[in-house]
Amino acid sequence: MVIAIDGPAASGKGTLAKRLAAHYGLPHLDTGLLYRAVALTLLDAGFPLDDERAAARAAEALIADRLADPRLRERAMGEAASRISAVPAVRAALLAWQQRFAGNAVGAVLDGRDIGTVVCPDARVKLFITAAPEERARRRHRELADRGETATFDVILADIKARDARDASRATAPLKAAADAVVLDTTELDADEAFEAARAVVERAILH
Ligand code: CDP
């Protein structure tokens, strides 16, 4: 069974994907990490983020070991990932990677921006997780503070709004809900309530 989870920055899709994967015994891929790793590889090698050829080469050469680097979770890397993720050659290289992951015998849970629309259009379950920008900024603020990063709420909110706009307006695989996705607004839900709502969607799909 493949479960595709998409949604904007800090919508809670990662937490939810992890919990669903554990519950159903499926491997989980946070696809945002792939884009963050490409951005980090590029920056570490001294290339600017707008060098599209170098970004494409970094995506083609991406190896799984890079996904464990704690720097990938930094705020600046989310921003950098959003910039290189608009490059079609980067997306093409990472598409194969993600489809290999999803194509294993048991299935998988993948979370990102274009899983239900492009990476796994035939996924058994598609969820689109969203929440009000202010609530997402509060969650991201807490998460970054727990890791010792200091950024003000206003800066994070501006970041999130800019990233939503860039991700939704790019020409290749923009952020949008698949026509057959179930949209779950988690503004008023805590992590347990979001998990229960998502689990109900999966159970319905299994019986269908
Ligand atoms: O955790 P957060 O939502 O802040 O970010 P992320 O999921 O790690 O994604 C970082 C950036 O990578 C996003 O802003 C997208 O531009 C890009 N991305 C994408 O284009 N396609 C995906 N499947 C996943 C991430």
Side-chain angles (χ1 to χ4, degrees):
M1 171 168 66
V2 173
I3 303 179
I5 305 185
D6 292 302
S11 55
K13 61 189 186 305
T15 307
L16 185 60
K18 240 183 257 131
R19 286 185 68 168
L20 287 172
H23 185 79
Y24 290 103
L26 296 169
H28 167 227
L29 181 64
D30 170 355
T31 64
L33 279 184
L34 304 179
Y35 293 90
R36 287 170 182 256
V38 171
L40 183 59
T41 304
L42 205 62
L43 294 172
D44 275 354
F47 289 99
L49 287 169
D50 60 3
D51 187 331
E52 299 197 359
R53 287 190 51 198
R57 277 199 304 275
E60 282 152 16
L62 186 69
I63 47 167
D65 311 8
R66 296 237 72 178
L67 304 182
D69 193 317
R71 287 180 297 165
L72 297 181
R73 299 284 179 191
E74 288 170 10
R75 188 172 68 88
M77 218 47 71
E79 187 59 27
S82 171
R83 289 181 53 193
I84 58 97
S85 73
V87 178
V90 167
R91 302 203 73 85
L94 296 183
L95 182 61
W97 219 101
Q98 296 168 84
Q99 289 180 332
R100 256 198 317 278
F101 187 92
N104 77 78
V106 281
V109 180
L110 286 84
D111 71 273
R113 301 290 189 289
D114 61 339
I115 310 303
T117 49
V118 175
V119 179
C120 303
D122 299 325
R124 178 85 158 269
V125 182
K126 294 183 187 178
L127 287 161
F128 190 85
I129 310 302
T130 179
E134 290 73 16
E135 175 57 24
R136 291 190 277 125
R138 259 192 296 280
R139 292 175 188 169
R140 183 53 45 95
H141 188 237
R142 218 178 302 132
E143 195 185 305
L144 290 173
D146 286 348
R147 276 208 305 276
E149 258 200 79
T150 46
T152 66
F153 175 83
D154 289 344
V155 165
I156 293 173
L157 180 60
D159 245 27
I160 279 186
K161 286 184 172 168
R163 205 128 69 80
D164 284 358
R166 190 185 302 124
D167 289 349
S169 66
R170 68 176 172 231
T172 313
L175 167 70
K176 68 162 190 266
D180 52 351
V182 175
V183 179
L184 188 61
D185 187 327
T186 68
T187 307
E188 307 282 341
L189 305 181
D190 66 21
D192 288 343
E193 291 166 331
F195 173 67
E196 282 311 321
R199 198 172 66 86
V201 173
V202 177
E203 295 299 322
R204 272 201 303 278
I206 289 173
L207 290 179
H208 196 67

mmCIF file of all heavy atoms in Angstrom, residues 8-10 13 30-33 35-36 78 81-82 85 91 98 111-115 140 163 167 170, ligand 1:
data_model
loop_
_atom_site.group_PDB
_atom_site.id
_atom_site.type_symbol
_atom_site.label_atom_id
_atom_site.label_comp_id
_atom_site.label_asym_id
_atom_site.label_seq_id
_atom_site.Cartn_x
_atom_site.Cartn_y
_atom_site.Cartn_z
ATOM 1 N N PRO A 8 1.699 22.065 2.450
ATOM 2 C CA PRO A 8 2.663 23.161 2.553
ATOM 3 C C PRO A 8 3.590 23.027 3.754
ATOM 4 O O PRO A 8 3.429 22.112 4.578
ATOM 5 C CB PRO A 8 1.753 24.389 2.686
ATOM 6 C CG PRO A 8 0.502 23.883 3.294
ATOM 7 C CD PRO A 8 0.332 22.484 2.786
ATOM 8 N N ALA A 9 4.543 23.955 3.858
ATOM 9 C CA ALA A 9 5.556 23.927 4.915
ATOM 10 C C ALA A 9 4.929 23.900 6.304
ATOM 11 O O ALA A 9 3.983 24.641 6.579
ATOM 12 C CB ALA A 9 6.457 25.162 4.788
ATOM 13 N N ALA A 10 5.480 23.026 7.150
ATOM 14 C CA ALA A 10 5.082 22.942 8.572
ATOM 15 C C ALA A 10 3.596 22.665 8.778
ATOM 16 O O ALA A 10 3.010 23.080 9.770
ATOM 17 C CB ALA A 10 5.512 24.213 9.316
ATOM 18 N N LYS A 13 2.692 17.361 8.038
ATOM 19 C CA LYS A 13 2.661 16.157 7.204
ATOM 20 C C LYS A 13 3.768 15.172 7.561
ATOM 21 O O LYS A 13 3.585 13.962 7.465
ATOM 22 C CB LYS A 13 2.681 16.500 5.717
ATOM 23 C CG LYS A 13 3.912 17.263 5.285
ATOM 24 C CD LYS A 13 3.780 17.759 3.874
ATOM 25 C CE LYS A 13 5.079 18.386 3.400
ATOM 26 N NZ LYS A 13 5.595 19.475 4.273
ATOM 27 N N ASP A 30 10.735 11.039 3.726
ATOM 28 C CA ASP A 30 10.464 12.482 3.773
ATOM 29 C C ASP A 30 11.153 13.058 2.538
ATOM 30 O O ASP A 30 12.370 13.250 2.520
ATOM 31 C CB ASP A 30 11.056 13.032 5.075
ATOM 32 C CG ASP A 30 11.067 14.553 5.129
ATOM 33 O OD1 ASP A 30 10.709 15.202 4.128
ATOM 34 O OD2 ASP A 30 11.446 15.086 6.188
ATOM 35 N N THR A 31 10.397 13.317 1.479
ATOM 36 C CA THR A 31 11.027 13.703 0.211
ATOM 37 C C THR A 31 11.619 15.112 0.263
ATOM 38 O O THR A 31 12.492 15.443 -0.528
ATOM 39 C CB THR A 31 10.041 13.610 -0.973
ATOM 40 O OG1 THR A 31 8.981 14.555 -0.789
ATOM 41 C CG2 THR A 31 9.464 12.215 -1.103
ATOM 42 N N GLY A 32 11.158 15.936 1.225
ATOM 43 C CA GLY A 32 11.756 17.261 1.389
ATOM 44 C C GLY A 32 13.243 17.150 1.697
ATOM 45 O O GLY A 32 14.047 18.006 1.293
ATOM 46 N N LEU A 33 13.615 16.069 2.386
ATOM 47 C CA LEU A 33 15.032 15.867 2.725
ATOM 48 C C LEU A 33 15.899 15.714 1.484
ATOM 49 O O LEU A 33 17.062 16.103 1.473
ATOM 50 C CB LEU A 33 15.206 14.616 3.599
ATOM 51 C CG LEU A 33 14.921 14.733 5.089
ATOM 52 C CD1 LEU A 33 15.252 13.413 5.773
ATOM 53 C CD2 LEU A 33 15.729 15.867 5.716
ATOM 54 N N TYR A 35 15.464 17.217 -1.426
ATOM 55 C CA TYR A 35 15.705 18.559 -1.964
ATOM 56 C C TYR A 35 16.645 19.348 -1.055
ATOM 57 O O TYR A 35 17.506 20.093 -1.517
ATOM 58 C CB TYR A 35 14.369 19.296 -2.165
ATOM 59 C CG TYR A 35 13.543 18.662 -3.253
ATOM 60 C CD1 TYR A 35 12.631 17.648 -2.961
ATOM 61 C CD2 TYR A 35 13.730 19.024 -4.577
ATOM 62 C CE1 TYR A 35 11.895 17.028 -3.972
ATOM 63 C CE2 TYR A 35 12.999 18.415 -5.589
ATOM 64 C CZ TYR A 35 12.092 17.419 -5.275
ATOM 65 O OH TYR A 35 11.385 16.810 -6.286
ATOM 66 N N ARG A 36 16.471 19.165 0.254
ATOM 67 C CA ARG A 36 17.380 19.837 1.194
ATOM 68 C C ARG A 36 18.814 19.317 0.998
ATOM 69 O O ARG A 36 19.778 20.091 1.048
ATOM 70 C CB ARG A 36 16.918 19.582 2.636
ATOM 71 C CG ARG A 36 15.658 20.358 3.004
ATOM 72 C CD ARG A 36 15.074 19.906 4.332
ATOM 73 N NE ARG A 36 13.842 20.617 4.646
ATOM 74 C CZ ARG A 36 13.734 21.605 5.536
ATOM 75 N NH1 ARG A 36 14.773 21.982 6.245
ATOM 76 N NH2 ARG A 36 12.582 22.211 5.744
ATOM 77 N N GLY A 78 15.587 24.881 4.274
ATOM 78 C CA GLY A 78 14.231 24.780 3.722
ATOM 79 C C GLY A 78 14.058 25.786 2.597
ATOM 80 O O GLY A 78 13.516 25.487 1.525
ATOM 81 N N ALA A 81 16.208 24.683 -0.354
ATOM 82 C CA ALA A 81 15.576 23.541 -1.030
ATOM 83 C C ALA A 81 14.449 24.025 -1.924
ATOM 84 O O ALA A 81 14.293 23.558 -3.059
ATOM 85 C CB ALA A 81 15.035 22.557 0.009
ATOM 86 N N SER A 82 13.679 24.976 -1.435
ATOM 87 C CA SER A 82 12.562 25.482 -2.210
ATOM 88 C C SER A 82 13.070 26.125 -3.507
ATOM 89 O O SER A 82 12.433 26.020 -4.560
ATOM 90 C CB SER A 82 11.783 26.491 -1.353
ATOM 91 O OG SER A 82 10.829 27.154 -2.111
ATOM 92 N N SER A 85 14.375 23.340 -5.913
ATOM 93 C CA SER A 85 13.327 22.379 -6.285
ATOM 94 C C SER A 85 12.493 22.866 -7.470
ATOM 95 O O SER A 85 11.711 22.115 -8.029
ATOM 96 C CB SER A 85 12.409 22.098 -5.097
ATOM 97 O OG SER A 85 11.575 23.209 -4.851
ATOM 98 N N ARG A 91 14.204 17.991 -10.335
ATOM 99 C CA ARG A 91 13.000 17.211 -10.053
ATOM 100 C C ARG A 91 13.031 15.883 -10.805
ATOM 101 O O ARG A 91 12.649 14.847 -10.276
ATOM 102 C CB ARG A 91 11.734 17.998 -10.415
ATOM 103 C CG ARG A 91 11.588 19.322 -9.702
ATOM 104 C CD ARG A 91 10.142 19.769 -9.641
ATOM 105 N NE ARG A 91 9.391 18.966 -8.692
ATOM 106 C CZ ARG A 91 9.338 19.200 -7.387
ATOM 107 N NH1 ARG A 91 9.958 20.215 -6.858
ATOM 108 N NH2 ARG A 91 8.642 18.395 -6.599
ATOM 109 N N GLN A 98 12.581 8.602 -5.890
ATOM 110 C CA GLN A 98 11.367 8.468 -5.077
ATOM 111 C C GLN A 98 10.505 7.306 -5.571
ATOM 112 O O GLN A 98 9.922 6.574 -4.776
ATOM 113 C CB GLN A 98 10.557 9.773 -5.139
ATOM 114 C CG GLN A 98 11.310 10.951 -4.536
ATOM 115 C CD GLN A 98 10.627 12.270 -4.854
ATOM 116 O OE1 GLN A 98 9.699 12.691 -4.169
ATOM 117 N NE2 GLN A 98 11.055 12.931 -5.910
ATOM 118 N N ASP A 111 6.076 11.647 1.978
ATOM 119 C CA ASP A 111 5.475 12.961 2.150
ATOM 120 C C ASP A 111 6.265 14.018 1.398
ATOM 121 O O ASP A 111 7.484 13.911 1.255
ATOM 122 C CB ASP A 111 5.267 13.309 3.630
ATOM 123 C CG ASP A 111 6.539 13.599 4.395
ATOM 124 O OD1 ASP A 111 7.152 12.645 4.909
ATOM 125 O OD2 ASP A 111 6.921 14.773 4.491
ATOM 126 N N GLY A 112 5.535 15.004 0.865
ATOM 127 C CA GLY A 112 6.198 16.046 0.075
ATOM 128 C C GLY A 112 5.211 17.057 -0.472
ATOM 129 O O GLY A 112 4.285 17.487 0.227
ATOM 130 N N ARG A 113 5.438 17.457 -1.735
ATOM 131 C CA ARG A 113 4.592 18.473 -2.363
ATOM 132 C C ARG A 113 3.843 17.930 -3.570
ATOM 133 O O ARG A 113 2.807 18.459 -3.955
ATOM 134 C CB ARG A 113 5.449 19.662 -2.847
ATOM 135 C CG ARG A 113 6.249 20.375 -1.764
ATOM 136 C CD ARG A 113 5.317 21.135 -0.850
ATOM 137 N NE ARG A 113 6.004 22.026 0.097
ATOM 138 C CZ ARG A 113 6.727 21.635 1.134
ATOM 139 N NH1 ARG A 113 6.892 20.366 1.378
ATOM 140 N NH2 ARG A 113 7.271 22.521 1.955
ATOM 141 N N ASP A 114 4.434 16.904 -4.206
ATOM 142 C CA ASP A 114 3.894 16.419 -5.483
ATOM 143 C C ASP A 114 3.785 14.905 -5.490
ATOM 144 O O ASP A 114 3.880 14.276 -6.534
ATOM 145 C CB ASP A 114 4.824 16.866 -6.623
ATOM 146 C CG ASP A 114 6.236 16.287 -6.473
ATOM 147 O OD1 ASP A 114 6.600 15.894 -5.349
ATOM 148 O OD2 ASP A 114 6.961 16.210 -7.480
ATOM 149 N N ILE A 115 3.606 14.297 -4.330
ATOM 150 C CA ILE A 115 3.583 12.831 -4.269
ATOM 151 C C ILE A 115 2.298 12.290 -4.917
ATOM 152 O O ILE A 115 2.356 11.408 -5.773
ATOM 153 C CB ILE A 115 3.715 12.318 -2.809
ATOM 154 C CG1 ILE A 115 4.912 12.986 -2.108
ATOM 155 C CG2 ILE A 115 3.848 10.797 -2.791
ATOM 156 C CD1 ILE A 115 6.228 12.790 -2.790
ATOM 157 N N ARG A 140 6.423 25.667 13.552
ATOM 158 C CA ARG A 140 7.811 25.688 13.085
ATOM 159 C C ARG A 140 8.687 26.450 14.080
ATOM 160 O O ARG A 140 9.828 26.063 14.335
ATOM 161 C CB ARG A 140 7.849 26.311 11.679
ATOM 162 C CG ARG A 140 9.181 26.383 10.959
ATOM 163 C CD ARG A 140 9.962 25.094 10.841
ATOM 164 N NE ARG A 140 9.274 23.894 10.444
ATOM 165 C CZ ARG A 140 9.193 23.415 9.211
ATOM 166 N NH1 ARG A 140 9.760 24.031 8.227
ATOM 167 N NH2 ARG A 140 8.562 22.283 8.967
ATOM 168 N N ARG A 163 7.501 30.797 0.874
ATOM 169 C CA ARG A 163 7.746 29.448 0.370
ATOM 170 C C ARG A 163 6.473 28.845 -0.225
ATOM 171 O O ARG A 163 6.507 28.210 -1.283
ATOM 172 C CB ARG A 163 8.258 28.566 1.503
ATOM 173 C CG ARG A 163 9.070 27.404 1.020
ATOM 174 C CD ARG A 163 10.392 27.336 1.712
ATOM 175 N NE ARG A 163 10.254 26.979 3.105
ATOM 176 C CZ ARG A 163 10.085 25.732 3.542
ATOM 177 N NH1 ARG A 163 9.966 24.745 2.671
ATOM 178 N NH2 ARG A 163 10.047 25.479 4.817
ATOM 179 N N ASP A 167 6.372 27.600 -4.008
ATOM 180 C CA ASP A 167 6.086 26.188 -4.279
ATOM 181 C C ASP A 167 4.809 26.010 -5.102
ATOM 182 O O ASP A 167 4.703 25.097 -5.911
ATOM 183 C CB ASP A 167 5.958 25.401 -2.965
ATOM 184 C CG ASP A 167 7.298 25.220 -2.250
ATOM 185 O OD1 ASP A 167 8.338 25.524 -2.871
ATOM 186 O OD2 ASP A 167 7.297 24.789 -1.083
ATOM 187 N N ARG A 170 5.422 27.469 -9.106
ATOM 188 C CA ARG A 170 6.429 26.999 -10.076
ATOM 189 C C ARG A 170 5.763 26.188 -11.184
ATOM 190 O O ARG A 170 4.688 25.597 -10.985
ATOM 191 C CB ARG A 170 7.513 26.184 -9.365
ATOM 192 C CG ARG A 170 7.010 24.876 -8.826
ATOM 193 C CD ARG A 170 8.136 24.049 -8.203
ATOM 194 N NE ARG A 170 7.552 22.911 -7.541
ATOM 195 C CZ ARG A 170 7.801 22.545 -6.297
ATOM 196 N NH1 ARG A 170 8.652 23.207 -5.562
ATOM 197 N NH2 ARG A 170 7.203 21.481 -5.796
HETATM 198 O O1 CDP B 1 9.363 20.691 6.377
HETATM 199 P P1 CDP B 1 9.022 21.740 5.370
HETATM 200 O O2 CDP B 1 7.625 21.597 4.883
HETATM 201 O O3 CDP B 1 9.371 23.120 5.808
HETATM 202 O O4 CDP B 1 9.954 21.531 4.132
HETATM 203 P P2 CDP B 1 10.306 20.220 3.317
HETATM 204 O O5 CDP B 1 9.104 19.320 3.210
HETATM 205 O O6 CDP B 1 11.556 19.640 3.862
HETATM 206 O O7 CDP B 1 10.572 20.816 1.849
HETATM 207 C C1 CDP B 1 11.517 21.814 1.597
HETATM 208 C C2 CDP B 1 11.282 22.346 0.182
HETATM 209 O O8 CDP B 1 11.559 21.313 -0.775
HETATM 210 C C3 CDP B 1 9.856 22.776 -0.120
HETATM 211 O O9 CDP B 1 9.604 24.141 0.144
HETATM 212 C C4 CDP B 1 9.678 22.463 -1.595
HETATM 213 O O10 CDP B 1 10.048 23.549 -2.411
HETATM 214 C C5 CDP B 1 10.654 21.355 -1.862
HETATM 215 N N1 CDP B 1 9.967 20.061 -2.051
HETATM 216 C C6 CDP B 1 9.430 19.789 -3.289
HETATM 217 O O11 CDP B 1 9.487 20.606 -4.192
HETATM 218 N N2 CDP B 1 8.849 18.581 -3.547
HETATM 219 C C7 CDP B 1 8.755 17.655 -2.575
HETATM 220 N N3 CDP B 1 8.192 16.476 -2.857
HETATM 221 C C8 CDP B 1 9.269 17.929 -1.285
HETATM 222 C C9 CDP B 1 9.863 19.154 -1.060
#
